[in-house]
Amino acid sequence: MVQSLNTKTSTPFPAIAYVGLGSVYGKLLIGDKAFEFFNDANVEDSIQIPWDTIYHVEGVLHRNNKIGRQIVVVLNRQGNSKRQNHLRFSSKESGKILKLVREQLGNDKVVKAPTIIRTLMKKFTRKKG
């Protein structure tokens, strides 16, 4: 049995974790010490992310400022790596999840996900200096 890192947790939210080439259905728990995802089919297959390893959490917004279903957890860089790991989750109750994450991390670490246009503009603009 997998031991939870949290001592206090929220109610479990049904969610989907996009891992590798497929998706995994399970429950998402927001607690006092970690962000946790447990697989429905195999509870031993879990994702546990302590709050201090999270760089920021991105919420997807649509054009009419409605919160989308996807949540992206960006982890801190490991060692000398230039890339950051991204974990993507999806849930119908993403607004509630982002509010609970904001309570743990603070307002500055819950941000809007960059749009495709903003990403392309960043790639093709020159850096000054």
Side-chain angles (χ1 to χ4, degrees):
M1 185 76 187
V2 174
Q3 187 69 23
S4 176
L5 298 176
N6 295 317
T7 55
K8 299 176 190 173
T9 62
S10 64
T11 58
F13 297 103
I16 302 170
Y18 298 102
V19 198
L21 295 176
S23 58
V24 179
Y25 292 86
K27 301 282 187 265
L28 194 63
L29 293 172
I30 308 297
D32 58 344
K33 297 185 181 172
F35 184 94
E36 297 179 326
F37 177 82
F38 292 100
N39 188 346
D40 279 343
N42 182 9
V43 181
E44 298 292 324
D45 184 21
S46 65
I47 300 171
Q48 297 178 328
I49 309 165
W51 292 119
D52 58 349
T53 61
I54 296 176
Y55 183 69
H56 68 263
V57 177
E58 298 175 352
V60 176
L61 284 181
H62 296 296
R63 287 185 191 182
N64 52 1
N65 288 335
K66 289 186 78 175
I67 297 174
R69 291 185 176 200
Q70 290 195 354
I71 300 166
V72 180
V73 178
V74 181
L75 302 177
N76 290 327
R77 289 187 172 93
Q78 301 292 322
N80 293 332
S81 174
K82 291 183 179 179
R83 294 186 52 137
Q84 290 178 316
N85 291 331
H86 293 69
L87 298 171
R88 188 173 296 272
F89 298 95
S90 177
S91 176
K92 287 183 179 180
E93 301 181 23
S94 61
K96 292 178 185 177
I97 294 170
L98 288 172
K99 284 181 184 178
L100 290 172
V101 169
R102 181 176 284 127
E103 290 175 6
Q104 297 297 326
L105 292 178
N107 286 338
D108 56 335
K109 292 206 174 190
V110 178
V111 297
K112 285 195 296 187
T115 61
I116 294 172
I117 295 171
R118 193 175 348 155
T119 305
L120 290 174
M121 292 293 287
K122 186 177 177 181
K123 295 278 184 192
F124 291 116
T125 55
R126 286 188 198 170
K127 293 182 181 177
K128 295 179 182 178

